[in-house]
Amino acid sequence: MKFFVDTADVQEIRDLAATGLVDGVTTNPTLIAKSGRRILDVIAEICDIVPGPISAEVAATDYETMLAEGRKLAALRPNVAVKVPLTMAGLRTCKALADDGIKVNVTLCFSANQAILAAKAGASFVSPFVGRLDDVGQDGMELIGDIVSIFDNYPLFRTEVLAASIRHPMHVTEAARLGAHVVTMPPAVLRQMVQHPLTDKGLATFMADWQKTGQSIL
Ligand code: E4P
């Protein structure tokens, strides 16, 4: 299972990448706006920090402009994955970019049929938005399970299921249980995953007992 972080905050990425737990990064126009930086600069910088796929989203909605934007983003660094929306024009752009050997992440996926279309268009990743489905009263994880089992029926589909719009650690556990290939999560969720009160309590006891021994390992 691969872990991506969903942020354009370079300092956060640098800190988390140092742990060796980050396999890639996803961004979107909202996250780029939040960073306050130029997309081309921030994507290039992230690509130099994390060697895995870095998703950079196009900003246009028509095929010709999306294709031109996608090519420009992909030319930044070899580890850019171009993110396109799950529209007919987005799928056409996906196919054209994939035919050129460019990795594509098809985003804003909310149904199994949309995911099948992304796979047919040669996407490297399809991103079902779990949290946003939960927000409107649909079970986002049920969609992850559906897509994983459908893709399992077709070994020629190379598209990885990238569980996105992750809101809390239980989403990660569930996505793993269902066999999602990748989870992209906000940095805060990755930090929450390490927390357990019994770990803190146990460590405090061990440290106190160790002090009593008067020993030093080094
Ligand atoms: C995925 O790549 C998106 O950037 C992201 O996961 C959207 O999450 P949100 O619903 O928390 O905005």
Side-chain angles (χ1 to χ4, degrees), residues 6-7 25-31 55 57 83 105 107-108 110 127-133 135 162-167 184-186:
D6 197 30
T7 182
V25 177
T26 50
T27 65
N28 62 38
T30 305
L31 295 170
S55 290
E57 189 158 341
K83 217 169 169 191
N105 175 359
T107 188
L108 292 167
F110 293 96
S127 293
F129 277 34
V130 173
R132 292 194 196 187
L133 275 173
D135 289 345
L162 195 171
S165 188
I166 292 296
R167 301 279 164 79
T184 189
M185 66 194 99

Coordinates of all heavy atoms in Angstrom, one line a residue, residues 6-7 25-31 55 57 83 105 107-108 110 127-133 135 162-167 184-186, ligand 1:
D6 N -1.5 14.7 0.8 CA -2.4 15.6 0.0 C -2.2 17.0 0.5 O -2.9 17.5 1.3 CB -3.9 15.1 0.3 CG -4.9 15.6 -0.8 OD1 -4.5 15.8 -1.9 OD2 -6.0 15.8 -0.4
T7 N -1.2 17.7 -0.1 CA -0.8 19.0 0.3 C 0.1 19.7 -0.6 O 0.8 18.9 -1.4 CB -0.1 19.0 1.7 OG1 0.1 20.3 2.2 CG2 1.2 18.2 1.7
V25 N 2.9 12.5 -3.7 CA 2.1 13.7 -3.2 C 1.0 14.0 -4.2 O 1.2 13.8 -5.4 CB 3.1 15.0 -3.1 CG1 2.3 16.2 -2.7 CG2 4.2 14.7 -2.2
T26 N -0.1 14.4 -3.7 CA -1.2 14.9 -4.6 C -1.5 16.4 -4.2 O -1.4 16.8 -3.0 CB -2.5 14.1 -4.4 OG1 -2.8 14.0 -3.0 CG2 -2.4 12.7 -5.0
T27 N -1.8 17.2 -5.3 CA -2.2 18.6 -5.1 C -3.4 18.8 -5.9 O -3.8 17.9 -6.7 CB -1.1 19.5 -5.5 OG1 -0.9 19.4 -7.0 CG2 0.3 19.3 -4.9
N28 N -4.1 19.9 -5.6 CA -5.2 20.3 -6.5 C -5.2 21.8 -6.5 O -4.5 22.5 -5.7 CB -6.5 19.6 -5.9 CG -6.9 20.1 -4.5 OD1 -6.7 21.2 -4.2 ND2 -7.4 19.1 -3.7
P29 N -6.1 22.4 -7.3 CA -6.1 23.9 -7.4 C -6.3 24.6 -6.0 O -5.8 25.6 -5.7 CB -7.2 24.2 -8.4 CG -7.2 23.0 -9.3 CD -7.0 21.8 -8.3
T30 N -7.2 23.9 -5.2 CA -7.4 24.5 -3.8 C -6.2 24.5 -3.0 O -5.8 25.5 -2.3 CB -8.5 23.7 -3.1 OG1 -9.7 23.7 -4.0 CG2 -8.9 24.3 -1.8
L31 N -5.4 23.4 -3.0 CA -4.2 23.3 -2.2 C -3.1 24.3 -2.8 O -2.3 24.8 -2.0 CB -3.7 21.9 -2.2 CG -4.6 20.9 -1.5 CD1 -4.1 19.4 -1.8 CD2 -4.7 21.2 0.0
S55 N 1.2 14.5 -8.1 CA 0.0 14.9 -9.0 C -0.1 16.4 -9.0 O -0.2 17.1 -8.0 CB -1.3 14.3 -8.4 OG -1.3 12.9 -8.6
E57 N -2.5 19.2 -11.0 CA -3.8 19.3 -11.7 C -3.9 20.4 -12.8 O -3.5 21.5 -12.5 CB -4.9 19.4 -10.7 CG -6.3 19.3 -11.2 CD -7.4 18.9 -10.2 OE1 -7.0 18.5 -9.1 OE2 -8.6 19.1 -10.5
K83 N -3.0 15.5 -13.3 CA -4.3 15.2 -12.8 C -5.4 15.9 -13.7 O -5.3 17.1 -14.0 CB -4.4 15.8 -11.4 CG -5.2 15.0 -10.4 CD -4.9 15.6 -9.0 CE -5.8 15.1 -8.0 NZ -5.7 15.8 -6.7
N105 N -3.5 11.0 -13.4 CA -4.4 10.7 -12.2 C -5.8 11.3 -12.5 O -5.9 12.5 -12.7 CB -3.8 11.3 -11.0 CG -4.6 11.2 -9.7 OD1 -5.7 10.7 -9.8 ND2 -4.1 11.8 -8.6
T107 N -9.2 12.5 -11.5 CA -9.7 12.9 -10.2 C -11.2 13.2 -10.2 O -11.8 13.2 -11.2 CB -8.9 14.2 -9.7 OG1 -9.2 14.5 -8.4 CG2 -9.1 15.4 -10.6
L108 N -11.7 13.5 -9.0 CA -13.2 13.8 -8.8 C -14.0 12.6 -9.3 O -15.0 12.8 -10.0 CB -13.5 15.1 -9.6 CG -13.0 16.4 -9.0 CD1 -13.1 17.5 -9.9 CD2 -13.6 16.7 -7.6
F110 N -16.6 9.7 -8.5 CA -17.7 9.5 -7.5 C -18.5 8.2 -7.8 O -19.5 8.0 -7.2 CB -18.5 10.7 -7.3 CG -17.8 11.9 -6.7 CD1 -17.2 12.9 -7.5 CD2 -17.6 12.0 -5.3 CE1 -16.5 13.9 -7.0 CE2 -16.9 13.0 -4.8 CZ -16.3 14.0 -5.6
S127 N -8.9 8.5 -8.7 CA -9.1 9.0 -7.3 C -10.6 9.2 -6.9 O -11.2 10.2 -7.2 CB -8.4 10.4 -7.2 OG -7.1 10.3 -7.3
P128 N -11.1 8.1 -6.3 CA -12.5 8.3 -5.7 C -12.4 9.1 -4.4 O -11.5 8.9 -3.6 CB -12.8 6.8 -5.4 CG -11.8 5.9 -6.0 CD -10.6 6.8 -6.1
F129 N -13.3 10.1 -4.3 CA -13.3 11.0 -3.1 C -14.2 10.5 -2.0 O -15.4 10.7 -2.0 CB -13.7 12.4 -3.6 CG -12.7 13.2 -4.2 CD1 -11.7 12.7 -5.0 CD2 -12.7 14.6 -4.1 CE1 -10.7 13.5 -5.6 CE2 -11.8 15.4 -4.6 CZ -10.7 14.9 -5.4
V130 N -13.5 9.8 -1.1 CA -14.3 9.1 0.0 C -15.0 10.1 0.9 O -16.2 10.0 1.1 CB -13.3 8.3 0.9 CG1 -14.0 7.7 2.1 CG2 -12.7 7.1 0.0
G131 N -14.3 11.1 1.4 CA -14.9 12.0 2.4 C -16.0 12.8 1.8 O -17.0 13.1 2.5
R132 N -15.9 13.2 0.6 CA -16.9 14.1 0.0 C -18.2 13.3 -0.3 O -19.3 13.8 -0.3 CB -16.4 14.7 -1.3 CG -15.4 15.8 -1.1 CD -15.1 16.6 -2.3 NE -13.8 17.3 -2.1 CZ -13.4 18.3 -2.9 NH1 -14.1 18.6 -4.0 NH2 -12.2 18.8 -2.7
L133 N -18.1 11.9 -0.5 CA -19.3 11.1 -0.6 C -19.9 10.9 0.8 O -21.1 11.0 0.9 CB -18.9 9.7 -1.2 CG -18.8 9.6 -2.7 CD1 -18.3 8.3 -3.1 CD2 -20.2 9.9 -3.4
D135 N -19.8 13.0 3.1 CA -20.5 14.3 3.4 C -21.9 14.4 2.9 O -22.7 15.1 3.5 CB -19.7 15.5 2.8 CG -18.3 15.7 3.5 OD1 -18.1 15.2 4.6 OD2 -17.5 16.4 2.9
L162 N -6.7 5.0 -6.0 CA -6.1 6.0 -5.1 C -7.2 6.6 -4.2 O -8.0 7.5 -4.7 CB -5.4 7.1 -5.9 CG -4.4 8.0 -5.3 CD1 -3.7 8.8 -6.4 CD2 -4.9 8.9 -4.3
A163 N -7.4 6.1 -3.0 CA -8.4 6.6 -2.1 C -8.1 8.0 -1.7 O -7.0 8.3 -1.1 CB -8.5 5.7 -0.9
A164 N -9.0 9.0 -2.1 CA -8.7 10.4 -1.8 C -9.8 11.0 -0.9 O -10.8 10.3 -0.6 CB -8.6 11.1 -3.1
S165 N -9.6 12.2 -0.6 CA -10.5 12.9 0.3 C -10.7 12.1 1.6 O -11.8 11.8 2.1 CB -11.9 13.1 -0.4 OG -12.8 13.9 0.4
I166 N -9.5 11.8 2.2 CA -9.4 11.1 3.4 C -9.5 12.0 4.6 O -8.8 13.1 4.6 CB -8.1 10.3 3.4 CG1 -8.1 9.2 2.3 CG2 -7.7 9.7 4.8 CD1 -9.1 8.1 2.5
R167 N -10.3 11.7 5.6 CA -10.6 12.7 6.6 C -10.0 12.3 8.0 O -9.9 13.1 8.9 CB -12.1 13.0 6.8 CG -12.7 13.5 5.5 CD -12.5 15.0 5.4 NE -12.8 15.5 4.0 CZ -14.0 15.7 3.5 NH1 -15.1 15.5 4.3 NH2 -14.2 16.1 2.3
T184 N -4.2 8.8 -0.4 CA -3.6 10.2 -0.2 C -4.3 10.8 1.0 O -5.5 10.9 1.0 CB -3.7 11.0 -1.5 OG1 -2.9 12.2 -1.3 CG2 -5.1 11.4 -1.9
M185 N -3.5 11.3 1.9 CA -4.1 11.9 3.1 C -3.5 13.2 3.5 O -2.3 13.4 3.2 CB -4.0 10.9 4.3 CG -2.6 10.6 4.7 SD -2.4 9.2 5.7 CE -1.8 8.0 4.5
P186 N -4.2 14.1 4.2 CA -3.6 15.3 4.7 C -2.5 14.9 5.7 O -2.6 13.9 6.4 CB -4.8 16.0 5.4 CG -6.1 15.4 4.9 CD -5.7 14.0 4.5
Ligands
E4P1 C1 -7.2 14.3 -4.1 O1 -6.2 14.1 -4.8 C2 -7.7 15.6 -3.6 O2 -6.7 16.5 -3.7 C3 -8.2 15.5 -2.2 O3 -8.0 14.2 -1.6 C4 -9.5 16.2 -2.0 O4 -9.8 16.1 -0.6 P1 -10.8 17.0 0.1 O5 -12.2 16.5 -0.1 O6 -10.5 16.9 1.6 O7 -10.7 18.4 -0.4

